[in-house]
Amino acid sequence: MMGIIGMLNTWNAWIANHQALVVAVGIPILTALVTVIIAYFTNKANLRAQTRNRELQKQTRLFDSREKKISELREAFTKLEAISFFMSFDMSQGVSSSEIGKISCEQMNQFVRAFTEIVPKIQLLLPQADPDYTALSEAMWRDLKKQASGVTEPNDATLEPFVTVAGRVLSRLEEQSNAGLEKSNV
């Protein structure tokens, strides 16, 4: 114990005798040390902020991508519904063939071409793992087969299975997209 007190007294005496040297050298060293400590913690905080910002940007891009996909799917559903509606209307009114229950070959070819362009797009936009993938595919092809065979139904009845499944799909995809955004903001 005496050794420590003696050492402290020695240091105190040396500092008192060399006070100008201690102030001239000690203050810059102390300032540099405090600056390094502050810079370290500032950089650490900035790195955390940048990491959070990158994660937020990633989540935002993912959300935007999902929203774009949902928008493309909605547009494709709308086009398919329009094609089906006009096909059914043409058949029930005999617009292109002048006979109720028939469609001209040229008009049928146009409908089939438009239909077969939009259906694969829908199938590519919708993940095969989606629980309604098969039901949606069946509803789309069922509608084309029914109308191509000359079966006439009121327009709404022809579209009903497709509209029901498409609505479920869009609703589920929007919920998943919004849940992903809410989860990233927590």
Side-chain angles (χ1 to χ4, degrees):
M1 181 79 151
M2 273 305 210
I4 294 177
I5 294 175
M7 190 170 76
L8 288 176
N9 285 335
T10 305
W11 274 99
N12 191 25
W14 187 86
I15 291 173
N17 291 333
H18 299 91
Q19 189 173 13
L21 179 65
V22 170
V23 170
V25 174
I27 291 189
I29 290 173
L30 187 60
T31 302
L33 185 61
V34 169
T35 303
V36 167
I37 291 170
I38 290 172
Y40 171 78
F41 285 111
T42 302
N43 287 339
K44 194 171 180 178
N46 284 339
L47 287 175
R48 278 194 304 257
Q50 288 175 0
T51 301
R52 282 192 310 266
N53 190 27
R54 281 192 298 273
E55 183 61 30
L56 182 60
Q57 287 174 353
K58 176 183 167 187
Q59 292 298 326
T60 301
R61 282 192 305 272
L62 185 60
F63 178 77
D64 289 345
S65 173
R66 287 177 184 161
E67 286 301 307
K68 181 181 177 192
K69 182 178 175 181
I70 290 169
S71 178
E72 289 177 13
L73 196 56
R74 182 178 284 114
E75 184 179 317
F77 284 164
T78 303
K79 284 180 183 178
L80 185 66
E81 192 173 345
I83 293 166
S84 182
F85 174 80
F86 286 122
M87 190 176 182
S88 177
F89 182 78
D90 189 358
M91 185 168 296
S92 67
Q93 301 301 311
V95 175
S96 65
S97 67
S98 300
E99 288 183 52
I100 292 177
K102 290 190 177 186
I103 297 177
S104 70
C105 279
E106 181 182 323
Q107 191 65 30
M108 179 58 88
N109 285 338
Q110 288 177 357
F111 283 137
V112 169
R113 188 175 305 113
F115 203 87
T116 54
E117 286 174 3
I118 199 72
V119 168
K121 180 178 181 176
I122 291 171
Q123 289 174 324
L124 288 173
L125 285 170
L126 186 65
Q128 287 187 344
D130 189 277
D132 282 323
Y133 181 86
T134 303
L136 183 66
S137 293
E138 289 173 359
M140 290 185 295
W141 290 113
R142 176 191 154 278
D143 185 38
L144 178 65
K145 289 175 186 174
K146 182 179 276 193
Q147 293 194 41
S149 68
V151 176
T152 58
E153 289 183 25
N155 293 332
D156 290 341
T158 303
L159 295 173
E160 186 177 328
F162 168 73
V163 171
T164 301
V165 177
R168 273 197 322 253
V169 166
L170 286 174
S171 178
R172 183 176 39 260
L173 290 176
E174 287 174 348
E175 284 176 14
Q176 289 171 352
S177 180
N178 290 336
L181 183 64
E182 290 169 5
K183 182 179 176 184
S184 69
N185 286 335
V186 172

